[in-house]
Amino acid sequence: MNLRSILIVSAMLAAAAASRAQSAAPDEASFRDLYKQLVEINTTRSAGSCTEAAGAMRARLISAGIAADDAQILAPPDRPKDGALIAVLHGRDRSAKPILLLAHIDVVEAKRADWDRDPFKLVEENGWFYARGASDDKAMAAVFTDSLIRYRREGFKPRRDIKLALTCGEETPDIFNSVKWLIETRPAVLDAAFALNEGAGGELDKDGRPVALQIQAGEKVYQDFALEATDVGGHSSRPTKNNPIVRLSTGLAKLGAYDFPVALNDATRGYFEAQARLTPPDIAADMRAVLKDPRDEAAVDRLWAVNPGWNGMLRTTCVVTEIAGGHAPNALPQHVRANVNCRILPGVPVAAVQREIERVIADAKISVAPTGDPGMQSPPPELSARIMNPVRTVAARLWPGVPIVPTMSTGATDGRFLNSHGIPTYGLSGMFHDAEGSHAHGLNERIRVISLMNGRRFLYEVVKLYANGP
C-alpha cells in the first residue's frame, strides 16, 4: 500500500472513530471502565472473591454520591469471600415498595489453557466482548450499577426506592447462595414490589437484526431424584432373576420413553403465539396446533425435533444424568443408583412428579427419592400492564416494530428464591443474541458490544419508568 492510500485509510478510520464517539453516550467511557473492572475481578468459586468485586462496585457508588450506609456488603462470617453488595437509591414516597435490580457476580470456572483468550481479561474484538462473565451475569451487574451511578449524578429522585443486589453463589447454590441466605436471615434487605433479573434477552436473525425482545415470567423447578435398586449379590457364575442393574435399566428405559403431558401457562402460551408470527409457515402451523384444544401431539413432536428448548417449555421433563453400580467384574451387583434430573413446570408439586415416576417405572423394588434441596415452588408472576407498559414504551423507541415475547425459563436462576418468597421476578435485559448465543458456561463466553450498549440504554430507561410508576 502506498503512502497516499495509507493516509486515505487512516483518515477514513479516524472519521469512523469520531462518528462512533459522537453517537456514543457521553458517559459510555466510564461504563466501559466499570464493566472491564468488574469482569476482570475473578469471582470463580475456586480462586475468586465476590467480596472483592462487590467492594469495587461499592466504591464506585460511594464516589458517585451514594451514602456509605446505603451501600453495604453482606456475607456470612464463615464465608468472607462470598459478599453481596446491597445498595439503595432512596425515593420520594416512603410508602411505595422498592423495585429490586438483581444480578449475580459469581462466574463459572474457566481454564486459560482451554480458551482462545485469557478468560479473565476483557477483550474487544470484531464487535464482541470476550471474557468469563462478559455476559453471564456481569453484563447486567455492570449495567445496574452504572444506572444507579447515573441516576445519583443526575439528581434523579424516583417515586420509589431502587434497590441493587449484586449477589454471589448463583452458579454454585449447592455450596452457598446469597439470595437464599439473605431471604433466610435478612428478608427485609431484598423486599420489593418486584425484581428485574437475568433470564431473557432478545433474538437476532442471521443478519444480526432484532426479531424479538423477550421478557421472562416464571421458571421451571429444579429437582433431582435418586432411583436405586439393591440385592444381596453373589458370584457372577450364579446369576439370579433379581439383577439390580437389569431391573433399574428396565425402569429407566420406561421413564426415557415417557413424555409428561403438555401444560401451557400464560407465559408459554404468549411465547408460542408470538413465535408463530415470526417463524417459517410450517413451524408456525405446528405452534398453532399446539395451542389448540385438543392439541396435535404430532405437532408437539415435530417442534421438539426442531428445538429441544420448545419441548422443555411445554412440559415437565425428567432425564437420566448419572448412573453407578456394581462393585466387581466377577460379582453380581448389590446396588445400583441413577440420578434423574427433573425440570418441573411451575405449580406442579415435586411429590406429584415423584409419584408419576414411580407409576411409570412400575417396580416396587426400585426406590425413588428426591435429593438435594427441595425444588422452589412458585406460580409464574403476572405480566400485568404495570410490568409490560414500560417495556413497550422503551422498546418502541429503541427497536420499532420488534415484538415483545413472553417466555419461561427452562433452567434456574436466583429468581426462584424471590418468586417463592412472594417477590415477583422478571427476566429482562434488552441484550440481544443470535442463535449461537453467548457461550455462557462454555468456552470463549461473549456478548456483542452493540447488544451490551443497547441493553444499557434499555434498562436505564425502563427502570426509571418503573421507579416512577404506580
Side-chain angles (χ1 to χ4, degrees):
M1 183 181 292
N2 59 35
L3 179 58
R4 182 173 181 274
S5 297
I6 292 172
L7 291 174
I8 291 172
V9 170
S10 298
M12 291 172 63
L13 291 173
S19 175
R20 287 194 298 271
Q22 290 172 359
S23 62
D27 50 358
E28 183 179 304
S30 61
F31 168 68
R32 283 171 169 262
D33 184 64
L34 181 155
Y35 175 62
K36 182 177 188 294
Q37 181 185 25
L38 181 59
V39 167
E40 293 188 350
I41 296 174
N42 187 326
T43 52
T44 59
R45 173 64 59 192
S46 64
S49 170
C50 287
T51 301
E52 181 184 351
M57 297 302 100
R58 179 177 185 266
R60 287 179 176 269
L61 291 172
I62 292 173
S63 178
I66 299 285
D69 290 345
D70 289 331
Q72 54 184 327
I73 296 177
L74 301 175
D78 60 337
R79 307 203 69 88
K81 292 186 176 182
D82 290 339
L85 172 63
I86 308 297
V88 60
L89 180 69
H90 291 293
R92 306 183 307 272
D93 185 352
R94 306 306 296 168
S95 66
K97 293 193 76 171
I99 64 170
L100 176 65
L101 311 180
L102 174 67
H104 68 88
I105 52 177
D106 62 305
V107 297
V108 171
E109 301 290 338
K111 290 176 62 178
R112 174 65 185 93
D114 296 337
W115 282 54
D116 293 340
R117 309 159 191 84
D118 186 336
F120 299 104
K121 294 293 182 184
L122 184 67
V123 174
E124 183 176 353
E125 187 176 294
N126 298 324
W128 297 85
F129 285 125
Y130 291 90
R132 173 60 85 221
S135 175
D136 182 18
D137 186 29
K138 290 181 177 180
M140 285 191 73
V143 167
F144 283 154
T145 306
D146 170 73
S147 293
L148 233 63
I149 290 170
R150 294 168 71 188
Y151 299 150
R152 180 64 182 83
R153 286 178 172 164
E154 293 167 4
F156 173 56
K157 192 75 170 177
R159 174 175 171 255
R160 63 181 74 242
D161 288 358
I162 302 174
K163 284 184 178 180
L164 170 67
L166 304 184
T167 59
C168 193
E170 195 271 350
E171 304 292 8
T172 53
D174 53 325
I175 299 173
F176 172 77
N177 181 278
S178 286
V179 178
K180 183 174 183 285
W181 173 71
L182 287 168
I183 287 174
E184 291 172 349
T185 61
R186 306 187 186 196
V189 167
L190 297 180
D191 190 34
F194 61 92
L196 301 184
N197 184 33
E198 64 174 336
E203 297 178 19
L204 300 171
D205 66 15
K206 60 182 178 61
D207 298 315
R209 292 187 296 262
V211 294
L213 172 66
Q214 295 177 340
I215 178 168
Q216 178 213 329
E219 54 188 66
K220 297 180 83 173
V221 176
Y222 181 108
Q223 183 64 59
D224 287 313
F225 291 93
L227 276 62
E228 298 184 83
T230 60
D231 189 39
V232 295
H235 200 285
S236 61
S237 66
R238 298 169 57 86
T240 69
K241 293 287 187 180
N242 186 33
N243 185 309
I245 292 178
V246 174
R247 180 178 293 278
L248 185 58
S249 298
T250 301
L252 294 176
K254 292 178 184 177
L255 185 61
Y258 175 72
D259 295 329
F260 283 79
V262 170
L264 295 166
N265 55 44
D266 288 345
T268 53
R269 180 173 292 279
Y271 175 85
F272 284 104
E273 287 173 347
Q275 286 291 341
R277 295 190 289 270
L278 301 172
T279 54
D282 56 333
I283 297 176
D286 282 342
M287 288 182 172
R288 295 188 180 100
V290 167
L291 296 172
K292 290 180 179 178
D293 187 15
R295 69 180 50 87
D296 183 344
E297 294 298 333
V300 175
D301 286 342
R302 288 192 294 270
L303 290 178
W304 187 352
V306 172
N307 185 340
W310 289 342
N311 177 66
M313 293 181 68
L314 288 169
R315 53 163 56 104
T316 291
T317 60
C318 291
V319 296
V320 185
T321 55
E322 294 178 313
I323 190 165
H327 59 283
N330 59 351
L332 297 177
Q334 298 169 356
H335 176 262
V336 61
R337 181 185 188 276
N339 186 82
V340 171
N341 176 242
C342 294
R343 305 299 177 117
I344 304 169
L345 288 174
V348 177
V350 171
V353 174
Q354 180 178 343
R355 289 193 296 271
E356 187 67 356
I357 294 173
E358 292 168 343
R359 186 193 69 79
V360 170
I361 62 177
D363 189 335
K365 291 190 175 181
I366 298 176
S367 65
V368 180
T371 63
D373 291 335
M376 308 294 292
Q377 290 284 350
S378 60
E382 181 185 7
L383 289 171
S384 63
R386 177 172 77 159
I387 297 300
M388 295 303 296
N389 285 346
V391 177
R392 294 188 184 106
T393 298
V394 179
R397 287 199 296 264
L398 294 181
W399 307 289
V402 173
I404 299 167
V405 178
T407 186
M408 179 191 69
S409 173
T410 57
T413 74
D414 280 339
R416 69 190 187 276
F417 300 110
L418 296 178
N419 277 317
S420 65
H421 191 62
I423 301 172
T425 303
Y426 302 91
L428 184 68
S429 73
M431 299 178 193
F432 286 72
H433 293 280
D434 58 21
E436 190 177 341
S438 66
H439 301 173
H441 293 205
L443 297 178
N444 306 312
E445 183 178 344
R446 63 185 191 166
I447 188 171
R448 291 174 187 252
V449 176
I450 191 172
S451 292
L452 178 61
M453 298 309 167
N454 284 341
R456 177 186 181 231
R457 180 179 171 188
F458 172 76
L459 288 171
Y460 167 82
E461 294 185 17
V462 83
V463 168
K464 263 193 169 183
L465 294 180
Y466 282 140
N468 273 336

